[in-house]
Every structure is written in structure tokens, then in C-alpha cells.
Amino acid sequence: MNFNPTPTIVLTALFALLIPFKVEAQKASNQIGNFPNARVTTISGQVTQLLDDEFILNDGKGQIIVEAEPQLGQPINLSVGEQVSVVGNYDDHEFNAHSITRANGETIQIHDD
């Protein structure tokens, strides 16, 4: 029996080259409407409306209600038109924020119920 290791080495090398691209794709910010329930992810967009402890975020392809109650009950002080990135998870048709990062880099920590 004659064993030729070349095909195995070539396939292993190809898979090794593809792994970094797959991991990098997972780091990208999600578009609204393209994320699963309960998975922590980041969404970015423009604040279009302010509500009590929620706001509406539009990423240019869709919009979603973001629940964001800051720590110690302080107001989040966002402005309509402000660009933000929100880390959190999608659950029951709204996005539960863990933190909000403004365009200037300031991060607002959100109270976790």
C-alpha cells in the first residue's frame, strides 16, 4: 500500500488559511434584523427617537427599539441624530443594551436587570 501525504497537507493548509477570514467576519457589526435572540452582538446607527429608558436606532437598513437603562438610574442623555454603537442582545423584538459608545469614544454602561 502506497500513502501519498500531499493531498492531506494541501487540504490542511487551505483550511488553515480560511479560518482567520471566518473569525474576522464574526467580529463585524450586525445589521438590524440579522441577529439571533439572546446572542451578544454590536449594532451601530443613528438615534432617531428618544423614549423613557429606550430609544430607536436606525442603521440605514432598518430600525429597532433599544432598551437602555443606565446604571444608578441616570439619564442616558443621547440626542436624536447621534451616531452610536450598542453592545447587547436581541430578545423579544427589542435590543437590550449592555453598553453604548458615542462617536467621540465615550462609553455609557447600562444597568443589567
Side-chain angles (χ1 to χ4, degrees):
M1 186 174 221
N2 202 1
F3 177 69
N4 183 357
T6 304
T8 304
I9 293 170
V10 170
L11 287 175
T12 302
L14 285 174
F15 283 122
L17 290 173
L18 293 176
I19 289 171
F21 294 109
K22 184 175 182 179
V23 170
E24 187 62 36
Q26 292 173 351
K27 291 180 183 176
S29 181
N30 287 311
Q31 290 180 345
I32 291 173
N34 289 343
F35 39 80
N37 278 349
R39 189 171 188 190
V40 175
T41 190
T42 301
I43 57 175
S44 298
Q46 183 178 54
V47 176
T48 60
Q49 187 175 358
L50 298 170
L51 308 164
D52 290 327
D53 62 349
E54 301 174 332
F55 62 92
I56 296 177
L57 184 73
N58 187 325
D59 71 351
K61 302 229 184 248
Q63 53 186 14
I64 191 166
I65 296 173
V66 177
E67 184 179 334
E69 183 180 332
Q71 293 181 352
L72 304 174
Q74 300 296 317
I76 52 176
N77 293 327
L78 295 177
S79 302
V80 171
E82 188 171 355
Q83 292 288 328
V84 296
S85 292
V86 184
V87 175
N89 63 300
Y90 179 74
D91 190 28
D92 296 328
H93 306 291
E94 69 180 11
F95 195 79
N96 299 313
H98 297 204
S99 66
I100 301 168
T101 303
R102 293 187 151 112
N104 67 4
E106 177 190 352
T107 300
I108 302 166
Q109 294 301 319
I110 304 300
H111 176 68
D112 189 14
D113 292 343

